[in-house]
Amino acid sequence: MGLPKIPIRFWIAVMVFASTYINYTTRSNMSISITSMVGSSKNKTEPECKRNAKDLVSDNATVQALPDYGPRYKWSESIQSFVLGSYFWGYVISSAPGGFIAEWLGPFNTIMYSQIITAIFNSLSVWAAQMHFGALIFCRFILGLMAGPVYPALQSLIAKWAPPAEKGKFVSALMGNTLGTCLTWVLVGSVTAAAGWDWGFHFLTIQIGVFCLVFWLVVADTPDQHKWISEEEKNYIKTAQANTVSKGKVVPPYLKMFKSLPFWSLCILHFGNLWGLYLQITGVPKFMVEVIGFNIKASGGLAAMPHLLRMFFGMGYGYLGDVLKSKTKLRPTVIRKSFVIFSHLIPGILLMGMTLVKCDHVGAVFILIFSMAINGAAVVTNLQNAQDLAPNFAGSIFGIISLIGGTTGFITPAVTGALIGKNSGIKEWSINFLIGGSVYVGAGLFFIIFGTSDIQPWNEKLVSKNQEEAVSFKEVDKDQELTDKKVEPSETTRLNN
């Protein structure tokens, strides 16, 4: 008896994971590389908790000579901020149309072409930095512009490949981004130390090249287009999806979408998740360094631990969500709303709890690790709900909520900056954590009250210029020849398959 054949959709899920991993390598590498590209600032304020704690070891005890990793540039803090932020300008701009692009070009073409352009501009960043910081900012902007459509394209790919009973496992594969962040910090740092910061960029370009080759061999837009899939698996996916995914290419029903309360409930849920997540990723470590005086860099794997735990917890949540959906009588909406407790409410309460840690670095570390780990439940809530509402337009939905949610990447630092502008102390940070926790919890409660996982009427695809008459796709399937003769290009065709 031979080994059981691994289904093609398993490899599609693996490539979803790999896509998010590779997408985050160029997103997070600059935060590491830039420390080797510029000189360091020696003007640091002593953390509040260290002013009366002489036994804590100061990060500023000695000033060492900067290692030679390549040319260093005299960029001010504001220029460095522009370099780091330019990626997100492009990302936010391209997120919303990314879903529309993916649904027209297909997720395969969208991801493949975006990564090819990303590889080119990632290596061009080395020469751009040597020319002028403005050229580097332009390259980073293009990288963000190419990254924006990737997640909507992956949502579209999942909608076409995942049977409903396996949606949680597929969506949990989106957690490859956390591994991308962690490994990039380690790999870029190691390559930079061995060969210089320029090879920190080129190494990632080589990674992208390998990814594109494997992606080209493994992935197809739909089961029907895949070269190696068996008829048995193809029929299983089609039957399981029960005619909720269509093949037609149309403009998404934006007006109906924007009038939909379930859509806005998801949008608010995603916005709240990203606000809390960005505050945990950027704010809590900053608080620990600038207020508590805790040396995160010297703590080994502490910086990577919250991200890795979020990935593992997310995969576990995705599996559990699928089990609850297939093995119990719980309605999908009840499952979604129950997991909001873990993805939003508990992390929000923990974030508010940061106001109680004062100078206790152990408590702060515990909250950071536990709140990010438990937030992995987002794979069952805001990361999956687009698949529930309208699988035909999951990419477009996710693109729009990514655009709106992505603004928290600018709002959260702005709020933090306004609060700690004059003094970065416990009082100011407590207000910041209360605001962040309140947004987290408020967004979760809004979804619990108004959200749903029921498929929406506007999931149906209307293909035409004149939307007055409709012919169901099932009827077309039964009598294709007759339909081809009767239906003119200007008439409406409703696709329900």
Side-chain angles (χ1 to χ4, degrees):
M1 184 176 178
L3 292 173
K5 184 179 179 181
I6 299 175
I8 294 297
R9 64 186 185 278
F10 169 81
W11 298 113
I12 299 296
V14 169
M15 293 313 299
V16 169
F17 182 91
S19 297
T20 58
Y21 165 83
I22 212 73
N23 191 49
Y24 261 62
T25 58
T26 50
R27 178 177 181 146
S28 56
N29 72 313
M30 183 54 71
S31 60
I32 299 297
S33 294
I34 200 168
T35 60
S36 303
M37 299 168 69
V38 299
S40 61
S41 173
K42 298 178 183 179
N43 299 321
K44 295 181 180 179
T45 304
E46 188 178 22
E48 180 177 335
C49 291
K50 280 192 172 184
R51 293 169 195 164
N52 298 315
K54 303 300 183 183
D55 56 320
L56 291 176
V57 179
S58 173
D59 292 343
N60 309 317
T62 60
V63 177
Q64 298 178 348
L66 295 174
D68 182 16
Y69 295 144
R72 290 185 179 266
Y73 307 105
K74 296 180 180 179
W75 295 339
S76 65
E77 290 291 340
S78 61
I79 290 174
Q80 294 179 52
S81 297
F82 276 119
V83 170
L84 293 171
S86 53
Y87 177 97
F88 296 95
W89 305 339
Y91 185 85
V92 168
I93 290 172
S94 63
S95 289
F100 176 75
I101 292 169
E103 284 155 11
W104 274 84
L105 293 181
F108 176 88
N109 287 332
T110 303
I111 295 171
M112 178 64 78
Y113 292 138
S114 68
Q115 291 305 323
I116 290 172
I117 297 173
T118 294
I120 294 170
F121 277 86
N122 181 61
S123 279
L124 283 178
S125 298
V126 175
W127 293 283
Q130 297 170 0
M131 291 171 57
H132 191 270
F133 65 81
L136 177 59
I137 289 173
F138 174 76
C139 286
R140 293 294 298 173
F141 174 80
I142 296 297
L143 291 176
L145 206 64
M146 292 300 103
V150 170
Y151 268 82
L154 290 173
Q155 287 281 347
S156 180
L157 187 69
I158 290 170
K160 297 176 190 301
W161 275 93
E166 299 174 6
K167 282 282 178 76
K169 299 183 188 72
F170 269 83
V171 174
S172 68
L174 296 173
M175 284 291 170
N177 56 8
T178 59
L179 186 64
T181 299
C182 299
L183 281 188
T184 298
W185 289 346
V186 175
L187 293 175
V188 169
S190 300
V191 172
T192 297
W197 62 258
D198 54 341
W199 274 100
F201 287 88
H202 297 319
F203 172 78
L204 296 185
T205 298
I206 295 170
Q207 268 197 136
I208 296 171
V210 173
F211 163 81
C212 287
L213 177 61
V214 177
F215 190 84
W216 178 76
L217 291 171
V218 173
V219 177
D221 282 340
T222 66
D224 284 331
Q225 295 174 320
H226 204 281
K227 297 185 288 288
W228 307 324
I229 192 170
S230 67
E231 286 298 320
E232 181 183 3
E233 183 179 2
K234 190 188 303 183
N235 292 332
Y236 168 71
I237 295 171
K238 285 182 178 181
T239 303
Q241 291 178 342
N243 302 322
T244 59
V245 182
S246 305
K247 298 178 182 179
K249 296 181 179 181
V250 296
V251 176
Y254 292 116
L255 185 59
K256 292 181 180 179
M257 196 183 296
F258 292 145
K259 289 181 178 179
S260 171
L261 182 58
F263 166 78
W264 286 110
S265 299
L266 169 60
C267 190
I268 290 171
L269 188 72
H270 194 62
F271 180 90
N273 182 71
L274 290 183
W275 184 304
L277 201 57
Y278 282 143
L279 185 54
Q280 288 176 92
I281 291 173
T282 62
V284 174
K286 187 177 180 69
F287 168 76
M288 292 170 65
V289 172
E290 295 185 0
V291 180
I292 296 180
F294 184 71
N295 190 342
I296 295 179
K297 290 183 179 179
S299 62
L302 180 64
M305 188 179 295
H307 300 275
L308 291 175
L309 286 178
R310 185 170 183 263
M311 179 183 71
F312 290 123
F313 270 61
M315 291 180 172
Y317 281 126
Y319 177 79
L320 179 60
D322 284 345
V323 170
L324 290 174
K325 190 174 181 179
S326 60
K327 303 294 184 182
T328 69
K329 295 182 179 180
L330 290 174
R331 291 181 61 244
T333 297
V334 174
I335 295 173
R336 294 279 177 272
K337 293 182 177 182
S338 298
F339 275 85
V340 168
I341 296 172
F342 301 98
S343 66
H344 286 69
L345 302 191
I346 294 178
I349 293 170
L350 287 171
L351 201 54
M352 294 180 191
M354 285 293 294
T355 62
L356 305 176
V357 302
K358 305 299 181 182
C359 292
D360 179 12
H361 69 274
V362 175
V365 169
F366 172 80
I367 288 176
L368 174 63
I369 292 174
F370 187 60
S371 62
M372 284 196 66
I374 202 169
N375 175 255
V379 303
V380 188
T381 59
N382 53 289
L383 293 181
Q384 193 171 161
N385 192 227
Q387 301 282 338
D388 300 325
L389 301 181
N392 278 325
F393 303 107
S396 292
I397 294 172
F398 201 81
I400 295 170
I401 67 173
S402 293
L403 167 65
I404 297 173
T407 60
T408 58
F410 309 117
I411 296 173
T412 305
V415 171
T416 300
L419 290 171
I420 67 172
K422 293 183 179 179
N423 180 53
S424 181
I426 293 174
K427 178 182 177 181
E428 292 76 18
W429 276 98
S430 294
I431 298 172
N432 198 18
F433 292 136
L434 285 173
I435 293 172
S438 298
V439 174
Y440 233 151
V441 172
L445 291 176
F446 189 92
F447 183 84
I448 289 174
I449 296 170
F450 299 108
T452 183
S453 67
D454 295 337
I455 194 165
Q456 299 301 295
W458 40 270
N459 177 60
E460 295 179 349
K461 286 189 174 182
L462 299 176
V463 185
S464 81
K465 297 178 182 177
N466 179 5
Q467 297 188 0
E468 293 179 356
E469 297 181 358
V471 178
S472 75
F473 188 83
K474 289 180 180 179
E475 292 173 347
V476 174
D477 218 19
K478 290 178 182 178
D479 198 348
Q480 189 66 50
E481 283 186 39
L482 182 61
T483 306
D484 287 342
K485 293 176 182 178
K486 289 182 177 181
V487 178
E488 295 296 328
S490 62
E491 291 181 337
T492 302
T493 302
R494 176 169 292 169
L495 303 178
N496 288 327
N497 186 19

